[in-house]
Amino acid sequence: MEKSKEAGEILGESSESKISTYNDITNDPEMEGLTLYEKKALLVNRELDSHGMGKYQWYIFFLCGMGYFIDLLYAQAFGLVAPAMQQELGFSTAAQGDLFSSFNAGLCAGAFVWGLLVDIIGRQYAFNLTVLITSIFGLCLGAPSNYSGILVLAAFVGFGVGGNIPIDTTITLEFLPQNRRFLLAMLSVFQPLGVVVSSGIAYGFVPKYACGTGGLGADGELLQACSQVATGQPCCDKASNMGWRYLLFTIGAICLFVFFLRFVVFHFQESPKFLLYRGKDEKAVEVLQHVAKFNGRQSTVTMAMLEALTDEDSSVGSEGTGRPILGAGSSPLQKTFGEKVKLEFARYKLLFVNPTLTRLTILIWITYMFDYWGFSIAGSLLPQILLNKGREIEVSTATTYRNYVIIYICGIPGVLAGALMYGVPLVGRQMGMIVSSALMGASLFIFSAINTQASNVGLNIMEYFFQSMFNAILYGWTPEAYPAPIRGTACGVASFWGRLFSIVSPKIGTVLLEKSTNGPLYLAGGGVFVCTVCIALMPRKCMGGKSF
């Protein structure tokens, strides 16, 4: 009787239903062996599961999807504008790689910085700042008349874009019901949409507002940059080559519109799991209440329910167990600055807390390295390769740009195939990544051996289908493999390694491209096969488990 009274006091009510709820929480077998943070996260999971896919969840899904959209919008745009830009500004084919490397350097820095910050300052600030930075520098990108200025702006655009995937997957996962996690893979559907939109805008602007006719002068020869010909000779100048600038201005305006949707139209709430491991339990409860109200429901999680767990010392991690003290009520808030810094470093140890996670983390890093290696070469140099191959078989520039749209729209069913693999118990994620990466690599090698218009389009459709399928599963699954206290960091650092390799690969690819059209294809295909091996070696028990 005294225990029931005590429970009633803790919960602020004396009703039998509230006492029953208290007993359910404290005696729940599912909470056995969990840290205090994990117990609280389990309550959050149950609350969100009860909502299903409410209106708030759909808003989050689409707005985070726009981050994916912007990522490929720019990645594709640089590949599409590089030939026209080179023709006007007169830099060498080898120097063309500097454009992709500058953008990728920004992506690399952005992935690392935003990946770390999202676990420190929170999801809310990062969610809005990444798109704001992208839109500001993106609107300026078409203005410079020299290559150096373009390279600097491309790096700053990359810094904003670089945080999108690690941040957006983290946010989406932390608001999704557990049985809707296949939507993490579905976020990648926005990437081929970004490619299609970028290619479509380019198709409308670049050939129409290009030097001469399709970049050719009246004599049928390719017009050169004005800096490379004698005064008075026909050349490619800024006024007659505005198509690539119009493309970049349009994309910058799209990014600004996305920022408006995220910051003005929709009020994003901080992730409850972030607030829990930062010791802000009361704010976490408020967020859950806001989400429930937005969805037309009532939240079942109260502050009293979280307090019912606070006094259980066995649920609090310690340095001795190798599990940082996270989510232990107000404990993190009461620490000194020095103690908080130590706690941050202790949190990073979660990436290597046991042999299984150590193996997982290293293999994920290698996978991201060679995944980005492969698709950075394919994405940045494929437009130039298609132009080269097209000229060999007399395919017009306009037809080539039309082919881009056809090729990249097929990434959408690729993403759907990746999401379907989530429904296959135990092996779906792993087998889906093994098969898709192997077929992606194979398509690159076959493409190098054949050159007809039909094969160029067909093999590139095959490559992009399996690239989209592989990345959909990889990007969606990576945040699932780690708990919320380290989730953004884990995704950001993995993306950092990938972006780092994507700085180097286009430069090597462009050097090979000067010697052979097919050289970059062999380089990309070999990298993709490394991913296949790494995925096969990953521990199966880390695939599709419960997310905290």
Side-chain angles (χ1 to χ4, degrees), residues 530-548:
V530 173
C531 298
T532 307
V533 174
C534 288
I535 296 296
L537 294 174
M538 284 185 185
R540 186 169 295 175
K541 65 181 180 180
C542 294
M543 301 280 174
K546 193 166 290 186
S547 171
F548 289 109

Side-chain angles (χ1 to χ4, degrees), residues 83-104:
M85 191 186 292
Q86 180 186 10
Q87 187 178 6
E88 177 191 329
L89 302 178
F91 51 84
S92 67
T93 301
Q96 189 181 115
D98 294 338
L99 175 63
F100 307 115
S101 294
S102 293
F103 179 58
N104 286 323

Side-chain angles (χ1 to χ4, degrees), residues 354 356-357 360 364 426 429 477-478 480-482 538-545:
N354 57 49
T356 300
L357 269 179
L360 177 72
I364 285 176
L426 299 177
R429 293 163 173 81
W477 162 73
T478 304
E480 289 184 294
Y482 295 94
M538 284 185 185
R540 186 169 295 175
K541 65 181 180 180
C542 294
M543 301 280 174

